[in-house]
Structures are given as structure tokens and as C-alpha cells.
């Protein structure tokens, strides 16, 4: 297993959760790490992205509420989620190997198993 995610759950609107992802195997600290999500009946979308140097990207829908961080020595990446909304309900996926080109940010080809986040109204 290269990416192991944890921390999902059920929370009320306005609440907070923290997702964590541990990387292993061929994934190194040079890899871009990211979180994507897929809500019911929706396509998977990139929500947060961070490179080795700490440059970050957030989808407009989560700016100011979600914070991605990484520990290059421990090979972990966290997603802190505050002021959660029912529309944040989704399966969240940890991702590695993303990139940036032409001012756009992309998820990479390595995916972990999803972790369910459910926000009740």
C-alpha cells in the first residue's frame, strides 16, 4: 500500500475534521501530494495540492476552510477541514505524483483508498 488515508467520519455542519495520509513505497518527499474528493453522483475533483516546497493550491469551493500540510520527513500529508458544509460530503482520496502546468494544478496517478466524510445539516 503506497497511500494510506484515515480520519474520515460524520460531522455536523460547521464542524471540523482532519484527514491524514501516510505515503510509503516508491513515493518520495519530492512528490506532489494532493487530496481529491468525489461526491454522490459527481466527478472526482481536486480540492487541495501541495508540493515539496510548500506551494499550495485549493479549489475555490474550499478556500479558507481547508488547509493542506505535509511532513516531508514523516512522509505524511494532512487535510484540516473547518466550517464543513453538507456539500463537502464525499469520499476523499489521497493522491501522489501531481503536477502544475500552464498555471493549472493536476492530481497524479497514484491513489490511496478513499475515506468517507459525511456532513449533516
Amino acid at each position: 500500500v503506497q497511500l494510506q488515508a484515515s480520519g474520515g467520519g460524520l460531522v455536523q455542519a460547521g464542524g471540523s475534521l482532519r484527514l491524514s495520509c501516510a505515503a510509503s513505497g516508491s513515493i518520495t518527499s519530492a512528490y506532489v501530494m494532493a487530496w481529491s474528493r468525489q461526491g454522490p453522483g459527481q466527478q472526482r475533483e481536486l480540492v487541495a495540492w501541495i508540493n515539496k516546497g510548500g506551494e499550495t493550491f485549493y479549489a475555490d469551493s474550499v478556500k479558507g476552510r481547508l488547509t493542506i500540510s505535509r511532513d516531508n520527513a514523516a512522509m505524511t500529508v494532512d487535510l484540516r477541514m473547518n466550517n464543513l458544509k453538507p456539500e463537502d460530503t464525499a469520499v476523499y482520496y489521497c493522491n501522489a505524483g501531481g503536477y502544475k502546468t500552464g498555471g493549472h494544478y493536476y492530481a497524479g496517478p497514484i491513489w490511496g483508498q478513499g475515506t468517507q466524510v459525511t456532513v449533516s445539516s
Side-chain angles (χ1 to χ4, degrees), residues 27-52:
I27 299 172
T28 71
S29 61
Y31 276 58
V32 167
M33 302 298 294
W35 288 92
S36 295
R37 69 184 182 187
Q38 187 166 15
Q42 298 178 356
Q43 290 187 330
R44 192 173 297 188
E45 64 168 337
L46 177 66
V47 294
W49 179 108
I50 186 169
N51 68 10
K52 179 182 180 182

PDB file of all heavy atoms in Angstrom, residues 27-52:
ATOM      1  N   ILE A  27       6.978   6.254  -3.307  1.00  0.00           N
ATOM      2  CA  ILE A  27       6.675   7.687  -3.169  1.00  0.00           C
ATOM      3  C   ILE A  27       7.734   8.333  -2.293  1.00  0.00           C
ATOM      4  O   ILE A  27       7.995   7.881  -1.180  1.00  0.00           O
ATOM      5  CB  ILE A  27       5.282   7.895  -2.556  1.00  0.00           C
ATOM      6  CG1 ILE A  27       4.217   7.283  -3.464  1.00  0.00           C
ATOM      7  CG2 ILE A  27       5.011   9.385  -2.350  1.00  0.00           C
ATOM      8  CD1 ILE A  27       2.831   7.264  -2.854  1.00  0.00           C
ATOM      9  N   THR A  28       8.337   9.393  -2.815  1.00  0.00           N
ATOM     10  CA  THR A  28       9.367  10.103  -2.071  1.00  0.00           C
ATOM     11  C   THR A  28       8.880  11.483  -1.675  1.00  0.00           C
ATOM     12  O   THR A  28       7.822  11.948  -2.109  1.00  0.00           O
ATOM     13  CB  THR A  28      10.646  10.245  -2.906  1.00  0.00           C
ATOM     14  OG1 THR A  28      10.389  11.196  -3.958  1.00  0.00           O
ATOM     15  CG2 THR A  28      11.062   8.917  -3.516  1.00  0.00           C
ATOM     16  N   SER A  29       9.704  12.170  -0.898  1.00  0.00           N
ATOM     17  CA  SER A  29       9.334  13.511  -0.446  1.00  0.00           C
ATOM     18  C   SER A  29       9.310  14.509  -1.600  1.00  0.00           C
ATOM     19  O   SER A  29       8.815  15.619  -1.441  1.00  0.00           O
ATOM     20  CB  SER A  29      10.297  13.990   0.639  1.00  0.00           C
ATOM     21  OG  SER A  29      11.622  14.054   0.135  1.00  0.00           O
ATOM     22  N   ALA A  30       9.821  14.134  -2.745  1.00  0.00           N
ATOM     23  CA  ALA A  30       9.799  15.036  -3.900  1.00  0.00           C
ATOM     24  C   ALA A  30       8.438  15.070  -4.584  1.00  0.00           C
ATOM     25  O   ALA A  30       8.159  15.957  -5.391  1.00  0.00           O
ATOM     26  CB  ALA A  30      10.867  14.616  -4.913  1.00  0.00           C
ATOM     27  N   TYR A  31       7.598  14.113  -4.252  1.00  0.00           N
ATOM     28  CA  TYR A  31       6.302  14.021  -4.919  1.00  0.00           C
ATOM     29  C   TYR A  31       5.359  15.131  -4.481  1.00  0.00           C
ATOM     30  O   TYR A  31       5.289  15.464  -3.298  1.00  0.00           O
ATOM     31  CB  TYR A  31       5.641  12.678  -4.598  1.00  0.00           C
ATOM     32  CG  TYR A  31       6.086  11.535  -5.468  1.00  0.00           C
ATOM     33  CD1 TYR A  31       7.428  11.171  -5.540  1.00  0.00           C
ATOM     34  CD2 TYR A  31       5.168  10.791  -6.203  1.00  0.00           C
ATOM     35  CE1 TYR A  31       7.825  10.113  -6.339  1.00  0.00           C
ATOM     36  CE2 TYR A  31       5.561   9.735  -6.991  1.00  0.00           C
ATOM     37  CZ  TYR A  31       6.893   9.398  -7.050  1.00  0.00           C
ATOM     38  OH  TYR A  31       7.291   8.355  -7.832  1.00  0.00           O
ATOM     39  N   VAL A  32       4.616  15.653  -5.433  1.00  0.00           N
ATOM     40  CA  VAL A  32       3.454  16.473  -5.106  1.00  0.00           C
ATOM     41  C   VAL A  32       2.420  15.574  -4.446  1.00  0.00           C
ATOM     42  O   VAL A  32       2.193  14.441  -4.879  1.00  0.00           O
ATOM     43  CB  VAL A  32       2.857  17.114  -6.372  1.00  0.00           C
ATOM     44  CG1 VAL A  32       1.493  17.707  -6.096  1.00  0.00           C
ATOM     45  CG2 VAL A  32       3.805  18.170  -6.933  1.00  0.00           C
ATOM     46  N   MET A  33       1.805  16.090  -3.383  1.00  0.00           N
ATOM     47  CA  MET A  33       0.743  15.357  -2.700  1.00  0.00           C
ATOM     48  C   MET A  33      -0.553  16.156  -2.823  1.00  0.00           C
ATOM     49  O   MET A  33      -0.527  17.398  -2.902  1.00  0.00           O
ATOM     50  CB  MET A  33       1.088  15.140  -1.229  1.00  0.00           C
ATOM     51  CG  MET A  33       2.389  14.387  -0.999  1.00  0.00           C
ATOM     52  SD  MET A  33       2.348  12.717  -1.671  1.00  0.00           S
ATOM     53  CE  MET A  33       1.106  11.960  -0.619  1.00  0.00           C
ATOM     54  N   ALA A  34      -1.662  15.477  -2.815  1.00  0.00           N
ATOM     55  CA  ALA A  34      -2.926  16.175  -3.008  1.00  0.00           C
ATOM     56  C   ALA A  34      -4.072  15.382  -2.393  1.00  0.00           C
ATOM     57  O   ALA A  34      -3.920  14.207  -2.047  1.00  0.00           O
ATOM     58  CB  ALA A  34      -3.181  16.374  -4.502  1.00  0.00           C
ATOM     59  N   TRP A  35      -5.187  16.067  -2.261  1.00  0.00           N
ATOM     60  CA  TRP A  35      -6.445  15.443  -1.861  1.00  0.00           C
ATOM     61  C   TRP A  35      -7.484  15.774  -2.916  1.00  0.00           C
ATOM     62  O   TRP A  35      -7.600  16.935  -3.345  1.00  0.00           O
ATOM     63  CB  TRP A  35      -6.921  15.960  -0.508  1.00  0.00           C
ATOM     64  CG  TRP A  35      -6.126  15.470   0.651  1.00  0.00           C
ATOM     65  CD1 TRP A  35      -5.043  16.090   1.225  1.00  0.00           C
ATOM     66  CD2 TRP A  35      -6.344  14.265   1.392  1.00  0.00           C
ATOM     67  NE1 TRP A  35      -4.577  15.334   2.278  1.00  0.00           N
ATOM     68  CE2 TRP A  35      -5.361  14.214   2.405  1.00  0.00           C
ATOM     69  CE3 TRP A  35      -7.270  13.242   1.318  1.00  0.00           C
ATOM     70  CZ2 TRP A  35      -5.283  13.161   3.318  1.00  0.00           C
ATOM     71  CZ3 TRP A  35      -7.193  12.194   2.223  1.00  0.00           C
ATOM     72  CH2 TRP A  35      -6.219  12.158   3.208  1.00  0.00           C
ATOM     73  N   SER A  36      -8.222  14.758  -3.320  1.00  0.00           N
ATOM     74  CA  SER A  36      -9.348  14.936  -4.213  1.00  0.00           C
ATOM     75  C   SER A  36     -10.580  14.365  -3.526  1.00  0.00           C
ATOM     76  O   SER A  36     -10.461  13.640  -2.533  1.00  0.00           O
ATOM     77  CB  SER A  36      -9.107  14.208  -5.541  1.00  0.00           C
ATOM     78  OG  SER A  36      -8.024  14.768  -6.243  1.00  0.00           O
ATOM     79  N   ARG A  37     -11.743  14.682  -4.059  1.00  0.00           N
ATOM     80  CA  ARG A  37     -12.966  14.134  -3.483  1.00  0.00           C
ATOM     81  C   ARG A  37     -13.977  13.821  -4.576  1.00  0.00           C
ATOM     82  O   ARG A  37     -13.926  14.413  -5.662  1.00  0.00           O
ATOM     83  CB  ARG A  37     -13.576  15.100  -2.464  1.00  0.00           C
ATOM     84  CG  ARG A  37     -14.147  16.363  -3.074  1.00  0.00           C
ATOM     85  CD  ARG A  37     -14.639  17.315  -1.985  1.00  0.00           C
ATOM     86  NE  ARG A  37     -15.238  18.523  -2.544  1.00  0.00           N
ATOM     87  CZ  ARG A  37     -15.622  19.565  -1.818  1.00  0.00           C
ATOM     88  NH1 ARG A  37     -15.462  19.552  -0.492  1.00  0.00           N
ATOM     89  NH2 ARG A  37     -16.164  20.620  -2.394  1.00  0.00           N
ATOM     90  N   GLN A  38     -14.852  12.896  -4.254  1.00  0.00           N
ATOM     91  CA  GLN A  38     -15.915  12.535  -5.181  1.00  0.00           C
ATOM     92  C   GLN A  38     -17.208  12.417  -4.402  1.00  0.00           C
ATOM     93  O   GLN A  38     -17.362  11.515  -3.571  1.00  0.00           O
ATOM     94  CB  GLN A  38     -15.599  11.229  -5.902  1.00  0.00           C
ATOM     95  CG  GLN A  38     -16.583  10.893  -6.998  1.00  0.00           C
ATOM     96  CD  GLN A  38     -16.075   9.796  -7.914  1.00  0.00           C
ATOM     97  OE1 GLN A  38     -15.123   9.082  -7.600  1.00  0.00           O
ATOM     98  NE2 GLN A  38     -16.684   9.661  -9.078  1.00  0.00           N
ATOM     99  N   GLY A  39     -18.108  13.369  -4.660  1.00  0.00           N
ATOM    100  CA  GLY A  39     -19.403  13.357  -4.013  1.00  0.00           C
ATOM    101  C   GLY A  39     -20.376  12.451  -4.746  1.00  0.00           C
ATOM    102  O   GLY A  39     -20.100  12.010  -5.867  1.00  0.00           O
ATOM    103  N   PRO A  40     -21.522  12.188  -4.144  1.00  0.00           N
ATOM    104  CA  PRO A  40     -22.521  11.315  -4.774  1.00  0.00           C
ATOM    105  C   PRO A  40     -22.929  11.841  -6.145  1.00  0.00           C
ATOM    106  O   PRO A  40     -23.335  13.000  -6.267  1.00  0.00           O
ATOM    107  CB  PRO A  40     -23.691  11.370  -3.788  1.00  0.00           C
ATOM    108  CG  PRO A  40     -23.094  11.793  -2.491  1.00  0.00           C
ATOM    109  CD  PRO A  40     -21.949  12.692  -2.834  1.00  0.00           C
ATOM    110  N   GLY A  41     -22.797  11.030  -7.150  1.00  0.00           N
ATOM    111  CA  GLY A  41     -23.186  11.405  -8.490  1.00  0.00           C
ATOM    112  C   GLY A  41     -22.318  12.462  -9.140  1.00  0.00           C
ATOM    113  O   GLY A  41     -22.712  13.046 -10.158  1.00  0.00           O
ATOM    114  N   GLN A  42     -21.148  12.705  -8.573  1.00  0.00           N
ATOM    115  CA  GLN A  42     -20.282  13.751  -9.098  1.00  0.00           C
ATOM    116  C   GLN A  42     -18.956  13.177  -9.582  1.00  0.00           C
ATOM    117  O   GLN A  42     -18.579  12.064  -9.226  1.00  0.00           O
ATOM    118  CB  GLN A  42     -20.019  14.799  -8.018  1.00  0.00           C
ATOM    119  CG  GLN A  42     -21.259  15.515  -7.542  1.00  0.00           C
ATOM    120  CD  GLN A  42     -20.951  16.516  -6.442  1.00  0.00           C
ATOM    121  OE1 GLN A  42     -19.824  16.643  -5.975  1.00  0.00           O
ATOM    122  NE2 GLN A  42     -21.965  17.256  -6.038  1.00  0.00           N
ATOM    123  N   GLN A  43     -18.269  13.970 -10.404  1.00  0.00           N
ATOM    124  CA  GLN A  43     -16.937  13.575 -10.823  1.00  0.00           C
ATOM    125  C   GLN A  43     -15.938  13.863  -9.708  1.00  0.00           C
ATOM    126  O   GLN A  43     -16.164  14.725  -8.859  1.00  0.00           O
ATOM    127  CB  GLN A  43     -16.544  14.348 -12.091  1.00  0.00           C
ATOM    128  CG  GLN A  43     -17.321  13.941 -13.321  1.00  0.00           C
ATOM    129  CD  GLN A  43     -16.783  14.599 -14.575  1.00  0.00           C
ATOM    130  OE1 GLN A  43     -16.255  15.712 -14.529  1.00  0.00           O
ATOM    131  NE2 GLN A  43     -16.901  13.916 -15.696  1.00  0.00           N
ATOM    132  N   ARG A  44     -14.832  13.149  -9.740  1.00  0.00           N
ATOM    133  CA  ARG A  44     -13.779  13.389  -8.762  1.00  0.00           C
ATOM    134  C   ARG A  44     -13.152  14.753  -9.048  1.00  0.00           C
ATOM    135  O   ARG A  44     -12.881  15.085 -10.201  1.00  0.00           O
ATOM    136  CB  ARG A  44     -12.720  12.289  -8.827  1.00  0.00           C
ATOM    137  CG  ARG A  44     -11.750  12.295  -7.674  1.00  0.00           C
ATOM    138  CD  ARG A  44     -10.843  11.087  -7.702  1.00  0.00           C
ATOM    139  NE  ARG A  44     -11.585   9.838  -7.558  1.00  0.00           N
ATOM    140  CZ  ARG A  44     -10.997   8.660  -7.396  1.00  0.00           C
ATOM    141  NH1 ARG A  44      -9.669   8.572  -7.356  1.00  0.00           N
ATOM    142  NH2 ARG A  44     -11.724   7.569  -7.296  1.00  0.00           N
ATOM    143  N   GLU A  45     -12.933  15.538  -7.993  1.00  0.00           N
ATOM    144  CA  GLU A  45     -12.351  16.861  -8.168  1.00  0.00           C
ATOM    145  C   GLU A  45     -11.170  17.046  -7.228  1.00  0.00           C
ATOM    146  O   GLU A  45     -11.180  16.583  -6.083  1.00  0.00           O
ATOM    147  CB  GLU A  45     -13.391  17.962  -7.904  1.00  0.00           C
ATOM    148  CG  GLU A  45     -13.913  18.024  -6.490  1.00  0.00           C
ATOM    149  CD  GLU A  45     -14.702  19.281  -6.173  1.00  0.00           C
ATOM    150  OE1 GLU A  45     -14.507  20.311  -6.862  1.00  0.00           O
ATOM    151  OE2 GLU A  45     -15.496  19.236  -5.220  1.00  0.00           O
ATOM    152  N   LEU A  46     -10.172  17.749  -7.718  1.00  0.00           N
ATOM    153  CA  LEU A  46      -9.008  18.096  -6.921  1.00  0.00           C
ATOM    154  C   LEU A  46      -9.401  19.221  -5.970  1.00  0.00           C
ATOM    155  O   LEU A  46      -9.927  20.238  -6.415  1.00  0.00           O
ATOM    156  CB  LEU A  46      -7.866  18.550  -7.842  1.00  0.00           C
ATOM    157  CG  LEU A  46      -6.590  19.027  -7.177  1.00  0.00           C
ATOM    158  CD1 LEU A  46      -5.898  17.883  -6.453  1.00  0.00           C
ATOM    159  CD2 LEU A  46      -5.651  19.631  -8.233  1.00  0.00           C
ATOM    160  N   VAL A  47      -9.158  19.063  -4.675  1.00  0.00           N
ATOM    161  CA  VAL A  47      -9.523  20.115  -3.732  1.00  0.00           C
ATOM    162  C   VAL A  47      -8.313  20.778  -3.086  1.00  0.00           C
ATOM    163  O   VAL A  47      -8.382  21.948  -2.719  1.00  0.00           O
ATOM    164  CB  VAL A  47     -10.484  19.606  -2.632  1.00  0.00           C
ATOM    165  CG1 VAL A  47     -11.822  19.224  -3.234  1.00  0.00           C
ATOM    166  CG2 VAL A  47      -9.895  18.448  -1.849  1.00  0.00           C
ATOM    167  N   ALA A  48      -7.202  20.069  -2.946  1.00  0.00           N
ATOM    168  CA  ALA A  48      -6.023  20.665  -2.312  1.00  0.00           C
ATOM    169  C   ALA A  48      -4.778  19.959  -2.817  1.00  0.00           C
ATOM    170  O   ALA A  48      -4.787  18.746  -3.029  1.00  0.00           O
ATOM    171  CB  ALA A  48      -6.113  20.579  -0.802  1.00  0.00           C
ATOM    172  N   TRP A  49      -3.694  20.730  -2.949  1.00  0.00           N
ATOM    173  CA  TRP A  49      -2.460  20.250  -3.619  1.00  0.00           C
ATOM    174  C   TRP A  49      -1.293  20.927  -2.945  1.00  0.00           C
ATOM    175  O   TRP A  49      -1.368  22.125  -2.620  1.00  0.00           O
ATOM    176  CB  TRP A  49      -2.603  20.644  -5.066  1.00  0.00           C
ATOM    177  CG  TRP A  49      -1.567  20.377  -6.091  1.00  0.00           C
ATOM    178  CD1 TRP A  49      -1.636  19.454  -7.095  1.00  0.00           C
ATOM    179  CD2 TRP A  49      -0.339  21.097  -6.322  1.00  0.00           C
ATOM    180  NE1 TRP A  49      -0.543  19.547  -7.919  1.00  0.00           N
ATOM    181  CE2 TRP A  49       0.286  20.552  -7.459  1.00  0.00           C
ATOM    182  CE3 TRP A  49       0.302  22.160  -5.673  1.00  0.00           C
ATOM    183  CZ2 TRP A  49       1.484  21.006  -7.966  1.00  0.00           C
ATOM    184  CZ3 TRP A  49       1.514  22.623  -6.161  1.00  0.00           C
ATOM    185  CH2 TRP A  49       2.088  22.035  -7.297  1.00  0.00           C
ATOM    186  N   ILE A  50      -0.212  20.181  -2.718  1.00  0.00           N
ATOM    187  CA  ILE A  50       0.959  20.785  -2.100  1.00  0.00           C
ATOM    188  C   ILE A  50       2.210  20.134  -2.652  1.00  0.00           C
ATOM    189  O   ILE A  50       2.278  18.910  -2.781  1.00  0.00           O
ATOM    190  CB  ILE A  50       0.889  20.661  -0.551  1.00  0.00           C
ATOM    191  CG1 ILE A  50       2.042  21.423   0.105  1.00  0.00           C
ATOM    192  CG2 ILE A  50       0.875  19.201  -0.100  1.00  0.00           C
ATOM    193  CD1 ILE A  50       1.874  21.571   1.623  1.00  0.00           C
ATOM    194  N   ASN A  51       3.203  20.963  -2.974  1.00  0.00           N
ATOM    195  CA  ASN A  51       4.455  20.386  -3.450  1.00  0.00           C
ATOM    196  C   ASN A  51       5.483  20.336  -2.324  1.00  0.00           C
ATOM    197  O   ASN A  51       5.211  20.754  -1.189  1.00  0.00           O
ATOM    198  CB  ASN A  51       4.980  21.114  -4.692  1.00  0.00           C
ATOM    199  CG  ASN A  51       5.425  22.533  -4.410  1.00  0.00           C
ATOM    200  OD1 ASN A  51       5.529  22.958  -3.252  1.00  0.00           O
ATOM    201  ND2 ASN A  51       5.716  23.271  -5.464  1.00  0.00           N
ATOM    202  N   LYS A  52       6.656  19.837  -2.639  1.00  0.00           N
ATOM    203  CA  LYS A  52       7.672  19.627  -1.611  1.00  0.00           C
ATOM    204  C   LYS A  52       8.046  20.932  -0.936  1.00  0.00           C
ATOM    205  O   LYS A  52       8.328  20.984   0.261  1.00  0.00           O
ATOM    206  CB  LYS A  52       8.911  18.977  -2.223  1.00  0.00           C
ATOM    207  CG  LYS A  52      10.032  18.757  -1.228  1.00  0.00           C
ATOM    208  CD  LYS A  52      11.261  18.156  -1.879  1.00  0.00           C
ATOM    209  CE  LYS A  52      12.373  17.948  -0.862  1.00  0.00           C
ATOM    210  NZ  LYS A  52      13.592  17.407  -1.500  1.00  0.00           N
TER     211      LYS A  52
END
